[in-house]
Amino acid sequence: MATDLIHFQKICSKILGIGRNYAKHARELGNALPSSPVIFMKPTSSLISDGECIRIPHLCTNLHHEVELGVIIGQRAKNVPKEKALEYIGGYCLALDMTARDFQDEAKKKQLPWTLAKGFDTSCVVSSFIDKSLVADVSAIHLQLSVNDEVRQDGSTDCMLFDVPSLIEYTSLYFTLLPGDIILTGTPEGVGQVYKNDVLQSKLWTADGKFSIQITNKIE
């Protein structure tokens, strides 16, 4: 199974996104803090990797970056208690949840789903597989994103409203999580617009300094 997870993009059946999971990010967009996780989905066709170009979707005029920790499920999970949730993690990835903010704002006004805003082609950038043995504490991971060498986002997973075990517990109540599935755990504050030819550099490192990874993607 560990070998299969190295190629998690190929076996992933679904991508679950968590919205408003960092208080400062929720507030910067004028949203109330949620009492339970806010869940949306991205299709697997939205996946791209390090070095590939992010394409601005048709008619989008306000594309935003959101850097995130991705949790990769390692075994079939259903109705998982929080206390056992970490056992179901196969690994992690650094991720970008690209968002057509103008599409999302319009959908929110009309109380409609966010599908176009979140699920367009190239909207989910992921790094290579990070084995869970490299991460001693999932609540002590640092995330950073720069646009054209200017730091825009800089935060830590210890600021999540709902931690990773809670997210696995909650999502597995409603979805059967399968090996290779990805949970995007939310983004820290500092999201903002990007433009054609911008270069995005995303970084992740553990608080103990023993592991780091970065990805670079250009807006096309």
Side-chain angles (χ1 to χ4, degrees):
M1 183 57 66
T3 301
D4 292 341
L5 289 178
I6 292 174
H7 305 290
F8 66 95
Q9 302 98 321
K10 295 182 179 180
I11 63 172
C12 176
S13 72
K14 55 187 166 294
I15 304 161
L16 299 177
I18 309 298
R20 306 173 190 172
N21 199 27
Y22 288 74
K24 290 183 179 179
H25 169 60
R27 293 190 181 107
E28 74 180 344
L29 295 183
N31 296 315
L33 299 185
S35 58
S36 59
V38 176
I39 300 175
F40 60 89
M41 297 185 75
K42 287 177 176 277
T44 57
S45 57
S46 67
L47 285 166
I48 61 171
S49 302
D50 179 28
E52 294 189 79
C53 287
I54 298 164
R55 297 194 301 275
I56 300 174
H58 179 60
L59 298 180
C60 173
T61 60
N62 191 13
L63 180 64
H64 276 211
H65 56 76
E66 298 188 6
V67 67
E68 313 206 0
L69 169 69
V71 173
I72 301 168
I73 299 300
Q75 59 179 303
R76 186 182 186 277
K78 181 64 179 175
N79 297 324
V80 176
K82 180 178 179 178
E83 296 74 20
K84 294 186 177 181
L86 295 180
E87 299 174 16
Y88 291 81
I89 295 175
Y92 304 95
C93 65
L94 171 59
L96 277 175
D97 169 22
M98 300 302 297
T99 302
R101 193 71 70 199
D102 50 338
F103 292 3
Q104 186 185 41
D105 289 344
E106 188 64 23
K108 286 161 65 177
K109 289 177 185 176
K110 297 178 179 179
Q111 297 184 325
L112 295 174
W114 301 351
T115 308
L116 285 181
K118 290 288 192 177
F120 58 90
D121 288 350
T122 74
S123 66
C124 189
V125 187
V126 293
S127 71
S128 57
F129 178 74
I130 302 168
D131 193 278
K132 65 180 182 180
S133 65
L134 299 173
V135 178
D137 184 358
V138 71
S139 67
I141 293 176
H142 206 90
L143 300 167
Q144 186 179 90
L145 180 136
S146 299
V147 179
N148 302 327
D149 296 322
E150 176 190 354
V151 175
R152 295 271 191 90
Q153 292 185 268
D154 192 79
S156 174
T157 55
D158 64 358
C159 293
M160 287 183 183
L161 296 175
F162 305 101
D163 63 13
V164 169
S166 297
L167 294 177
I168 293 174
E169 178 182 56
Y170 187 81
T171 55
S172 71
L173 288 173
Y174 301 97
F175 304 92
T176 298
L177 305 177
L178 301 174
D181 285 355
I182 305 166
I183 300 176
L184 302 178
T185 57
T187 193
E189 75 274 14
V191 302
Q193 188 170 6
V194 291
Y195 301 89
K196 184 176 180 179
N197 295 323
D198 280 350
V199 176
L200 280 58
Q201 187 173 71
S202 309
K203 299 179 181 180
L204 174 158
W205 64 91
T206 54
D208 60 15
K210 293 183 178 180
F211 178 80
S212 65
I213 193 170
Q214 67 180 40
I215 56 176
T216 304
N217 302 86
K218 187 176 181 179
I219 304 297
E220 187 176 80

